[in-house]
């Protein structure tokens, strides 16, 4: 849990009272343009996420292989250097075991002779401890290079406004890995979602709904908080170049899991119309959520909402849930646990075992071995 301070924008430092997504830290020295402060004074950044096209000629797989190979080469180089250190230590021990007299200082204490650090040692440290520091640009202070301008205006880029560090209640304003994973699956299974009517719960910045909007007929991207929903709507507008060619539509709406009814207040900027509620119930066949299982009370509320909505939809509905299992050491268990994931699994089991004569739920895991279309770190905890 970290928070970026404005003490030195080019070299952020962090505090321990807020949460930071490491999606943006995955690319060292990536340029992030700070475009504004939001309504609560948090810096808002504009990032560009390039698609790894195209699957027909295996470009994405080739790119992923190159990235993976580069990482493996770094790790292997570091391992070779570590092996060299172990060999040197072993040789020193062998010399001592052969009777080489240990050196003592004036007080009779053992004087440890350390071998000087070689250039290779420093190279190993550089490999294993890369300085990961996003380059933060203030709007208007520095222009992107011509290559970046060309890259950022092409049709293979999704543009997302987001924050980098927030209190726990505002984590929806950041971009998380499970959203990329779900976006990858949507792109991999385009034909499955083509012309569907889709509901996203906890859409956050809207990146998954935007990707779904490139293939689906209509997407209702929902969350709570006017500031967050306004950011999400701005992201939808920024990515019309991706959504409009396929004839899709993304609508940003408020949906509070702690309430039993849709927000229909005509004064609310993100309220539902009666026609939209009817459309959702009549046509929705896909519900999705990414990285929303981090608080037990909210997880309970989401599953209640999920039950209520699936109970009212007319069609058979498929729900896609993506998450990252975050491991933590807890004093209560004196062990490394993943309590949020365990609570999620318990809710999922309860849903599957629900005795309801009108509706039946079945749960099926999806193997995470499909193609990668966006640049992020697909860790095994996803």
């Amino acid at each position: 849990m970290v928070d970026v301070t404005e003490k030195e924008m080019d070299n952020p430092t962090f505090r321990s009272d807020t949460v930071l997504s490491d999606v943006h830290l995955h690319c060292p020295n990536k340029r992030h343009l700070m475009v504004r402060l939001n309504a609560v004074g948090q810096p808002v950044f504009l990032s560009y996420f390039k698609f790894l096209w195209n699957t027909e000629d295996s470009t994405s797989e080739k790119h992923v292989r190159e990235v993976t190979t580069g990482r493996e080469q770094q790790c292997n180089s570091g391992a070779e250097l570590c092996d060299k250190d172990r060999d040197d230590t072993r040789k020193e021990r062998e010399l001592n075991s052969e009777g080489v007299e240990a050196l003592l200082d004036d007080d009779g204490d053992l004087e440890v002779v350390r071998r000087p650090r070689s250039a290779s040692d420093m190279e190993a440290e550089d490999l294993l401890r890369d300085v990961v520091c996003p380059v933060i640009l203030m709007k208007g202070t520095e222009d992107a290079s011509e290559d970046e301008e060309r890259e950022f205006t092409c049709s293979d880029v999704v543009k997302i406004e987001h924050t980098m560090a927030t209190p726990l209640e505002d984590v929806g304003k950041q971009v998380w890995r499970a959203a990329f994973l779900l976006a990858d699956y949507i792109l991999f299974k385009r034909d499955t979602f083509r012309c569907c009517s889709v509901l996203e719960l906890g859409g956050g910045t809207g990146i998954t709904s935007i990707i779904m909007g490139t293939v689906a007929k209509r997407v209702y991207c929902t969350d709570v908080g006017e500031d967050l929903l306004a950011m999400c709507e701005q992201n939808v507008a920024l990515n019309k170049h991706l959504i409009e060619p396929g004839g899709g539509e993304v609508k940003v709406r408020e949906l509070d899991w702690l309430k039993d009814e849709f927000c229909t207040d005509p004064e609310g900027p993100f309220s539902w119309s009666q026609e939209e509620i009817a459309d959702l119930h009549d046509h929705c066949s896909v519900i999705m959520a990414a990285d929303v299982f981090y608080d037990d009370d909210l997880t309970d509320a989401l599953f209640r909402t999920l039950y209520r909505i699936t109970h009212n939809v007319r069609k058979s509905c498929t729900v896609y849930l993506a998450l990252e299992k975050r491991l933590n050491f807890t004093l209560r268990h004196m062990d490394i646990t993943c309590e949020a994931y365990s609570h999620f699994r318990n809710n999922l089991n309860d849903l599957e075992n629900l005795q309801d004569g009108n509706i039946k739920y079945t749960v099926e895991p999806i193997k995470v071995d499909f193609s990668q279309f966006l640049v992020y770190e697909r860790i095994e905890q996803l």
Side-chain angles (χ1 to χ4, degrees), residues 7-125:
K7 179 180 178 183
E8 188 177 350
M9 292 297 285
D10 289 333
N11 188 15
T13 56
F14 303 103
R15 290 195 292 267
S16 60
D17 56 346
T18 52
V19 183
L20 172 74
S21 167
D22 61 356
V23 165
H24 305 287
L25 299 183
H26 177 57
C27 301
N29 302 321
K30 180 70 175 177
R31 299 160 70 95
H32 297 285
L33 178 66
M34 177 180 164
V35 291
R36 60 186 170 86
L37 295 177
N38 61 19
V40 293
Q42 298 162 337
V44 176
F45 299 89
L46 178 63
S47 291
Y48 302 81
F49 300 100
K50 191 168 180 13
F51 292 112
L52 305 176
W53 294 133
N54 96 23
T55 53
E56 283 76 17
D57 57 11
S58 300
T59 302
S60 63
E61 295 175 7
K62 178 183 177 184
H63 181 95
V64 173
R65 278 200 304 273
E66 289 173 352
V67 172
T68 306
T69 302
R71 255 190 231 122
E72 289 174 350
Q73 288 174 348
Q74 277 194 352
C75 294
N76 291 338
S77 298
E80 289 171 3
L81 291 164
C82 292
D83 290 340
K84 181 178 181 296
D85 291 342
R86 283 194 289 270
D87 290 341
D88 291 341
T89 303
R90 179 175 52 79
K91 289 176 182 177
E92 290 173 5
R93 288 174 178 168
E94 289 174 355
L95 285 173
N96 285 334
S97 66
E98 290 170 3
V100 177
E101 184 178 356
L103 298 176
L104 303 178
D105 63 15
D106 295 337
D107 297 327
D109 298 322
L110 178 65
E111 185 174 29
V112 179
V113 180
R114 301 188 182 277
R115 75 189 159 78
R117 294 183 68 190
S118 65
S120 60
D121 292 332
M122 288 182 277
E123 289 173 5
E125 186 171 321

Side-chain angles (χ1 to χ4, degrees), residues 211-313:
I211 300 301
M212 179 64 86
T214 64
V215 292
K217 178 182 179 181
R218 181 173 294 113
V219 182
Y220 292 101
C221 180
T222 68
D223 216 309
V224 292
E226 190 169 325
D227 194 48
L228 172 59
L229 293 170
M231 175 189 287
C232 183
E233 191 167 65
Q234 168 68 2
N235 286 331
V236 172
L238 285 171
N239 292 280
K240 284 185 176 179
H241 64 291
L242 299 175
I243 300 169
E244 289 181 344
E249 180 182 23
V250 178
K251 294 189 173 186
V252 179
R253 294 291 179 264
E254 179 181 341
L255 183 57
D256 191 340
W257 306 338
L258 300 177
K259 297 178 180 178
D260 293 334
E261 302 294 335
F262 290 93
C263 176
T264 56
D265 180 4
E267 301 297 323
F270 302 102
S271 295
W272 295 74
S273 67
Q274 292 299 330
E275 291 77 13
E276 288 171 341
I277 296 174
D279 174 64
L280 179 73
H281 288 159
D282 289 341
H283 301 109
C284 180
S285 59
V286 174
I287 299 176
M288 60 182 183
D291 235 332
V292 295
F293 305 102
Y294 56 89
D295 177 271
D296 289 354
D297 291 336
L298 287 178
T299 297
D300 293 341
L302 181 139
F303 274 92
R304 287 195 299 270
T305 300
L306 197 60
Y307 172 77
R308 175 171 56 86
I309 292 175
T310 53
H311 204 76
N312 289 320
V313 294

